[in-house]
Amino acid sequence: MKKNADIRRKVHFWLAACIALALTGLSGCGRNARDRQETESPGESPWEDEITIMYVDEGDQNFLAYIHEAEKKLQMKINVLFYPTNADSRHGKVSSLLAAGDSSVDIFAVNDEMINAFKYEGYLEPLQNDVMNAEAVQAFDPDYLKETVMVGEEIYSAPYMLDVLVLWINDKWLKEAGLTGIEKEEDFYRFITYDWGEGRYAYGGSWEKTYVYNELGEFINLFGGDYYNWQDEKTREAVRFFRECIDKGYTPKDQMIDQYDQMNQKFIDGKYGMVFMYSGGVKTYVNAGVYGEDQIHMSPLPDLGGNQVTYIGSWQYALNKASLNKEAAKRFMSYAISKEGNRLYAEMADRIPARGDLLEEDLNITGYEELRQFLHSVDVEVRPIPANSMDYLETVGELFQKYMLGELDLESYCSMMQELVDENM
């Protein structure tokens, strides 16, 4: 991503700012259904304010415990509703609520793909004069904010969780192939080409049409290509590598319908030897009892002659312009991104905090030290996501799948990708 080289250098707020860097229909009403300790008399409430948040991880008890602490701190009743787990459904649910001017949800948890679309649509309340004021923004990289959450001088969301695209590998598979790691090019290709037997694949992916752009961009970086130049030989080398993975059986065709949930389950079940997954996936592996040095763990990126670069993103809170509880919502958001509030969230929810200054401190978070080591060995950059994010990403995925299935040859695929990038970037 040569055009993003300056962003890559500056976006090191989670890395350069701390060289010793410490380190996814309302489907449920988890918080509403939870028993409360407080006793309310008829016509009397102990809460000063009340808000409703729509959050991403369905039934996450750690997050609900954090919300309970925030309620006590802020003297505020906080209802939590959960998104549908499917990313398309999640995006569609928020879009429909915002477009309808629905005020039932005050705050939406959004990721980079969502905010890159919603920030242009006029349905979100700007935050730069209060929640993301001059003092608050100092905790976040200005280039990340500019590329992701801002339009002009207006800021439309407040980051609370950092996510890093990580290479995960099953150590048992390494030992089976007679390897201790895949950092060297020859070791990587030995792992990829090893005969794993029926139903086992060296590499597994999330190639559903709205997800595959993560891995596509990652491998273009690893091969030293340029996402903005599809005539670049290194870009094409990465594309040819993907096709080779299918043609030679290093990875299965059926993963073209898989998002991260399906990919992770196959990885956990022993179908794949390595995958690219965001750092938040550590909880999935821990809960499945497969996380550890001798099981599934993070791996340094292989040296394929390109750039040791990986993507970062964040989850953020965005305020519904139709909210009837804006002041209370802003009070929660301000606390959530404060040093105290973000640390509490990180340690209780077991997630990497978004604030750069917190990453200089020791935190009790699963995978924290491992992610620190991973980040020491890589550069990071923001993903190239245009304003029409979901339509663009879907088209990227559709073209990729047609190429992988042999419906497009290399020249046609690269030509169509160049046209798509030129039109949108």
Side-chain angles (χ1 to χ4, degrees), residues 91 94-95 98 108 110-128 142-158 316-319 321 382-389:
H91 193 97
V94 178
S95 294
L98 290 173
F108 294 97
V110 296
N111 60 10
D112 292 0
E113 294 91 326
M114 297 167 77
I115 194 61
N116 269 286
F118 299 147
K119 67 183 182 181
Y120 293 104
E121 295 177 352
Y123 301 134
L124 300 179
E125 184 76 9
L127 305 173
Q128 68 274 6
D143 288 287
Y144 180 81
L145 295 180
K146 180 179 179 181
E147 292 295 320
T148 308
V149 309
M150 296 180 68
V151 178
E153 298 301 314
E154 295 190 319
I155 301 175
Y156 285 100
S157 62
Q316 312 123 41
Y317 290 123
L319 178 55
K321 182 172 279 189
V382 181
R383 293 170 295 169
I385 303 176
N388 59 330
S389 59

Side-chain angles (χ1 to χ4, degrees), residues 62-214:
N62 291 333
F63 176 73
L64 296 179
Y66 158 74
I67 288 295
H68 186 59
E69 292 300 313
E71 284 182 322
K72 293 188 292 185
K73 172 72 176 181
L74 301 173
Q75 281 298 292
M76 178 187 299
K77 182 178 179 182
I78 304 173
N79 304 301
V80 178
L81 304 172
F82 292 104
Y83 287 122
T85 55
N86 179 276
D88 293 334
S89 300
R90 180 174 65 224
H91 193 97
K93 169 59 70 175
V94 178
S95 294
S96 62
L97 290 173
L98 290 173
D102 192 306
S103 62
S104 62
V105 177
D106 301 296
I107 297 171
F108 294 97
V110 296
N111 60 10
D112 292 0
E113 294 91 326
M114 297 167 77
I115 194 61
N116 269 286
F118 299 147
K119 67 183 182 181
Y120 293 104
E121 295 177 352
Y123 301 134
L124 300 179
E125 184 76 9
L127 305 173
Q128 68 274 6
N129 294 326
D130 29 55
V131 177
M132 293 293 284
N133 57 34
E135 180 180 357
V137 298
Q138 297 304 310
F140 307 96
D141 178 76
D143 288 287
Y144 180 81
L145 295 180
K146 180 179 179 181
E147 292 295 320
T148 308
V149 309
M150 296 180 68
V151 178
E153 298 301 314
E154 295 190 319
I155 301 175
Y156 285 100
S157 62
Y160 65 88
M161 186 190 84
L162 173 66
D163 232 350
V164 182
L165 189 60
V166 172
L167 179 60
W168 299 85
I169 194 162
N170 191 322
D171 200 72
K172 294 178 180 178
W173 288 49
L174 278 177
K175 289 183 173 63
E176 184 176 337
L179 297 168
T180 58
I182 56 169
E183 296 96 310
K184 296 179 181 178
E185 183 175 12
E186 57 266 33
D187 292 336
F188 174 80
Y189 279 106
R190 179 175 173 178
F191 188 91
I192 284 287
T193 59
Y194 188 83
D195 183 4
W196 296 107
E198 186 70 24
R200 299 171 78 210
Y201 299 90
Y203 165 60
S206 177
W207 287 8
E208 191 271 341
K209 60 186 178 181
T210 59
Y211 275 66
V212 71
Y213 76 103
N214 286 297

Side-chain angles (χ1 to χ4, degrees), residues 132-336:
M132 293 293 284
N133 57 34
E135 180 180 357
V137 298
Q138 297 304 310
F140 307 96
D141 178 76
D143 288 287
Y144 180 81
L145 295 180
K146 180 179 179 181
E147 292 295 320
T148 308
V149 309
M150 296 180 68
V151 178
E153 298 301 314
E154 295 190 319
I155 301 175
Y156 285 100
S157 62
Y160 65 88
M161 186 190 84
L162 173 66
D163 232 350
V164 182
L165 189 60
V166 172
L167 179 60
W168 299 85
I169 194 162
N170 191 322
D171 200 72
K172 294 178 180 178
W173 288 49
L174 278 177
K175 289 183 173 63
E176 184 176 337
L179 297 168
T180 58
I182 56 169
E183 296 96 310
K184 296 179 181 178
E185 183 175 12
E186 57 266 33
D187 292 336
F188 174 80
Y189 279 106
R190 179 175 173 178
F191 188 91
I192 284 287
T193 59
Y194 188 83
D195 183 4
W196 296 107
E198 186 70 24
R200 299 171 78 210
Y201 299 90
Y203 165 60
S206 177
W207 287 8
E208 191 271 341
K209 60 186 178 181
T210 59
Y211 275 66
V212 71
Y213 76 103
N214 286 297
E215 292 166 59
L216 178 60
E218 182 64 36
F219 273 96
I220 288 174
N221 281 333
L222 289 176
F223 278 89
D226 179 359
Y227 184 84
Y228 299 93
N229 181 3
W230 289 79
Q231 299 303 313
D232 185 282
E233 181 54 34
K234 293 293 186 180
T235 303
R236 293 183 169 217
E237 186 179 349
V239 171
R240 283 192 290 266
F241 169 77
F242 275 112
R243 182 62 180 272
E244 183 179 335
C245 284
I246 287 288
D247 292 344
K248 296 188 176 181
Y250 306 148
T251 198
K253 284 184 180 180
D254 62 14
Q255 66 194 18
M256 292 188 195
I257 61 172
D258 291 348
Q259 298 185 353
Y260 285 138
D261 286 346
Q262 295 78 26
M263 179 195 75
N264 278 327
Q265 189 59 56
K266 293 176 181 178
F267 190 32
I268 291 167
D269 291 343
K271 184 174 182 176
Y272 301 147
M274 64 179 177
V275 302
F276 273 100
M277 174 64 195
Y278 280 92
S279 52
V282 67
K283 293 184 69 174
T284 301
Y285 307 140
V286 169
N287 292 339
V290 297
Y291 173 71
E293 291 183 6
D294 61 345
Q295 299 185 80
I296 289 173
H297 58 76
M298 298 179 197
S299 168
L301 295 178
D303 183 358
L304 302 182
N307 302 312
Q308 300 295 292
V309 175
T310 198
Y311 287 139
I312 57 167
S314 79
W315 280 88
Q316 312 123 41
Y317 290 123
L319 178 55
N320 184 358
K321 182 172 279 189
S323 168
L324 304 178
N325 306 296
K326 287 191 179 69
E327 292 309 311
K330 289 178 180 180
R331 193 156 66 88
F332 167 78
M333 294 170 75
S334 294
Y335 174 72

